[in-house]
Amino acid sequence: MAHNENLAVPLEYRTLQNRMNILGFWIFLGAEIVLFATLFGVYSVLNQRYAGGPTHQDLINIRDVMIQTVLLLTSSFTCGIAILEMRRGKLKGLITWLVITLVLGLGFLGMELNEFRHYVHEGATMQTSAFLSSLFVLLGTHGLHVTFGIGWAVLVIIQLLQRGLTPVTARKTFIIGLYWHFLDVVWIFIYTFVYLKGLVA
């Protein structure tokens, strides 16, 4: 009976160590929320201080931002499918959807780097104004987190290929899924409060 009850528990939660690691990661995400809340707070104070430099309207290409948003939110969906495949015990499906998630994430990063290049070409650098300093720090911090997430997920995929689906690899996969969804939520706030609000400011 106890064995059957254990099978009803998702693989990543079946050991005490895994449950503690997942709880610890939720606490880590709380610290990340504080970090990004601070960056948003700084941006909200400085976002009108142009110092004669480019403004939101001069820089924002809403079409490209929409594509970035679709790429990242779609990657959150594919990441969710990957976790569902893991819960079904389908290693091949899990890896396939994780790879698709990473391809979408790389597409997002490529567009963000191109956006930064466009800003610099328009004379918009961190030294130009307080607005641009806060913008680059906020976007750059999120972009670095996405880059780290991609590298982390690649390592998880390698472990899945080497070791298969075990309680340990399931826990690592679940945690990277939490991290990826967190980055998507942060992007929704960036899209709303930086890009959309900037266009109507």
Side-chain angles (χ1 to χ4, degrees), residues 39 42-60 115 119 123-139 193-195 197-199 201:
L39 295 179
V42 171
Y43 176 80
S44 69
V45 171
L46 302 178
N47 75 93
Q48 298 293 323
R49 302 186 181 183
Y50 304 120
T55 68
H56 297 84
Q57 290 83 358
D58 298 326
L59 297 174
I60 294 175
E115 178 185 2
Y119 289 172
T125 67
M126 288 189 71
Q127 293 78 28
T128 304
S129 65
F131 154 63
L132 288 167
S133 294
S134 62
L135 179 69
F136 273 107
V137 170
L138 177 57
L139 296 181
F193 293 107
V194 174
Y195 293 108
K197 187 178 178 184
L199 284 176

Side-chain angles (χ1 to χ4, degrees), residues 15-46:
T15 69
L16 177 60
Q17 182 65 52
N18 278 8
R19 292 194 293 273
M20 294 303 293
N21 286 352
I22 291 170
L23 175 61
F25 192 76
W26 277 110
I27 295 171
F28 167 76
L29 287 183
E32 289 285 280
I33 290 171
V34 173
L35 168 65
F36 278 103
T38 302
L39 295 179
F40 275 109
V42 171
Y43 176 80
S44 69
V45 171
L46 302 178

Side-chain angles (χ1 to χ4, degrees), residues 145-193:
H145 277 69
V146 173
T147 303
F148 176 76
I150 290 173
W152 184 5
V154 168
L155 294 177
V156 170
I157 290 172
I158 292 171
Q159 289 193 7
L160 286 167
L161 290 170
Q162 291 176 340
R163 305 175 189 175
L165 202 48
T166 69
V168 173
T169 57
R171 180 244 302 162
K172 293 179 178 180
T173 303
F174 182 72
I175 286 176
I176 187 62
L178 290 177
Y179 182 77
W180 198 261
H181 290 311
F182 168 75
L183 296 180
D184 290 340
V185 171
V186 172
W187 179 257
I188 290 172
F189 279 93
I190 290 175
Y191 176 72
T192 303
F193 293 107

Side-chain angles (χ1 to χ4, degrees), residues 87-108:
R87 295 272 173 84
R88 295 172 59 211
K90 306 293 186 181
L91 179 62
K92 183 177 179 181
L94 165 60
I95 293 174
T96 298
W97 286 104
L98 279 180
V99 169
I100 293 171
T101 299
L102 296 188
V103 170
L104 292 167
L106 286 169
F108 169 85

